[in-house]
Amino acid sequence: MSVHGELWMKVIAWESLLAAYRAASKGKRYRPAVLRFSAQLEENLINIQNHLIWYSWQPGAAREFRVVDPKPRLIQAPPFEDRVVHHALVNVIEPLFERRFIHDSYACRRGKGVHAAILRLQYFLRVAQRRWATVYVLQMDISKYFASISHDRLIAILKRAITDVDALWLCESIIRAGGENGVGIPVGALTSQLFANAYLDRLDHFVKDELGERYYLRYMDDFVILGRDSESLHALRRRIERWLENELDLRANPKSDVYPAKRGVDFCGYRTWTTHILPRKRNVKRARRALRALVRRLDKAEVSVEEIGCRMSSFFGYLKHCSGWHIMQSMNANGWCS
């Protein structure tokens, strides 16, 4: 069935599935679903392997729940067995896409991430300011991105990088199981992260290669372009919006904006200027509210000091990557709510 079966053989190999199990269970070993799977590990991995070999594997029902931080979203977490398959697939096909991705795409990629994106943005701001003195920012994101991804268009994009028909069968099985009426992939699946990046890789190359925009970076469906004046960036925004609709069947968020860089760029959880980086105001307010609530629960013996310490450490880890020392100082042991 395969044209280039070496990809498929890597996916279904015992060593690949065992490594996928270890990756999927990392940090989750004591969750009930993982404990059940681990109790009969060899039998469960052989069962997955056999279903893949005979093309009888089908995705299971996802567990749905809502989160509100940083924004309201419906998360659809696949069952643990499916996560093992997703890891095995991504481990094999991800390098094919990494070769195609531009340098300045930062979400869900090894060696990238939020903090690398912020440092790169600050570098762009400094270079652009030396070049133009006054710098403007075009900031855009996609409206309901994951829920708007076309299955047919996504599969066509994957076929440009993957020539193994068996690996493509598995990709398509995962994609077609989600969304409604051939549109949408679930937030919460490892494969969705890679597929969503691959989908907007076409936008990256349109902006960089065809439009020639030098100061462009993207974190999943949020992206920033720097320019010398607001008029040209407004024109660029309209052109990108048309391209997104025509080529990817996506709609830009109406809140997309053009503004002077001196205002600070609110991107990836931080506010960035050429000279410094600050935490996002609403993140600080949210952390203060959460800590107030924890202190009240501490008074009722509903939480421990250690739990509060863990929350504090997590927030301080966020502040470490910006100029947040004064906030750390104000949120000390005697003044968490100050």
Side-chain angles (χ1 to χ4, degrees), residues 48-294:
I48 289 174
Q49 187 181 49
N50 284 334
H51 278 297
L52 291 172
I53 288 172
W54 294 102
Y55 311 108
S56 58
W57 181 85
Q58 293 181 337
R63 179 174 61 91
E64 295 188 352
F65 57 95
R66 292 191 177 275
V67 298
V68 295
D69 186 14
K71 58 185 178 181
R73 290 181 298 170
L74 176 65
I75 305 297
Q76 296 168 303
F80 183 74
E81 293 84 348
D82 287 15
R83 294 204 294 272
V84 172
V85 175
H86 292 186
H87 275 275
L89 176 63
V90 169
N91 287 343
V92 171
I93 67 172
E94 187 175 41
L96 303 177
F97 294 95
E98 277 294 326
R99 293 197 290 266
R100 294 165 174 260
F101 289 162
I102 66 168
H103 175 81
D104 289 311
S105 165
Y106 287 89
C108 308
R109 295 178 64 194
R110 293 183 183 131
K112 301 289 185 176
V114 166
H115 303 119
I118 293 303
L119 291 176
R120 183 66 163 172
L121 172 59
Q122 188 174 56
Y123 168 76
F124 277 170
L125 287 168
R126 289 170 175 171
V127 172
Q129 187 175 68
R130 287 198 298 268
R131 183 179 179 188
W132 296 319
T134 301
V135 180
Y136 286 83
V137 181
L138 168 59
Q139 189 164 1
M140 300 180 67
D141 67 272
I142 309 300
S143 179
K144 301 177 181 177
Y145 176 49
F146 279 75
S148 303
I149 292 176
S150 160
H151 293 178
D152 289 342
R153 291 175 190 255
L154 173 57
I155 291 165
I157 289 170
L158 298 183
K159 286 180 178 178
R160 298 180 181 183
I162 303 171
T163 55
D164 186 318
V165 295
D166 298 325
L168 281 169
W169 165 80
L170 183 54
C171 290
E172 184 166 0
S173 298
I174 293 169
I175 292 165
R176 299 290 188 193
E180 295 180 3
N181 301 317
V183 179
I185 60 176
V187 177
L190 180 67
T191 47
S192 293
Q193 296 172 2
L194 176 60
F195 294 160
N197 254 343
Y199 202 74
L200 281 184
D201 179 60
R202 288 197 59 206
L203 170 67
D204 297 341
H205 286 282
F206 172 69
V207 173
K208 296 288 285 185
D209 302 339
E210 294 189 38
L211 300 183
E213 292 300 322
R214 194 172 181 179
Y215 308 117
Y216 164 86
L217 58 87
R218 177 175 65 83
Y219 190 93
M220 197 49 76
D221 63 313
D222 297 329
F223 54 97
V224 168
I225 303 174
L226 306 183
R228 65 189 307 169
D229 60 78
S230 61
E231 292 77 12
S232 62
L233 287 180
H234 277 295
L236 186 63
R237 172 185 172 176
R238 291 190 292 271
R239 188 169 178 184
I240 290 173
E241 287 175 340
R242 288 194 298 270
W243 187 91
L244 285 169
E245 290 185 23
N246 293 334
E247 298 296 327
L248 297 179
D249 200 18
L250 298 174
R251 305 294 179 271
N253 192 322
K255 294 181 180 179
S256 300
D257 196 14
V258 174
Y259 56 89
K262 65 181 181 181
R263 199 172 88 185
V265 185
D266 190 338
F267 185 68
C268 284
Y270 295 90
R271 293 174 293 146
T272 304
W273 287 263
T274 57
T275 53
H276 61 290
I277 300 170
L278 291 178
R280 182 177 280 165
K281 289 181 179 179
R282 64 175 175 269
N283 289 355
V284 175
K285 290 179 180 178
R286 188 184 298 119
R288 290 190 191 277
R289 285 197 301 270
L291 287 169
R292 289 191 195 103
L294 285 172

Side-chain angles (χ1 to χ4, degrees), residues 288-300:
R288 290 190 191 277
R289 285 197 301 270
L291 287 169
R292 289 191 195 103
L294 285 172
V295 169
R296 289 194 294 271
R297 293 180 63 196
L298 179 65
D299 292 338
K300 300 175 184 177

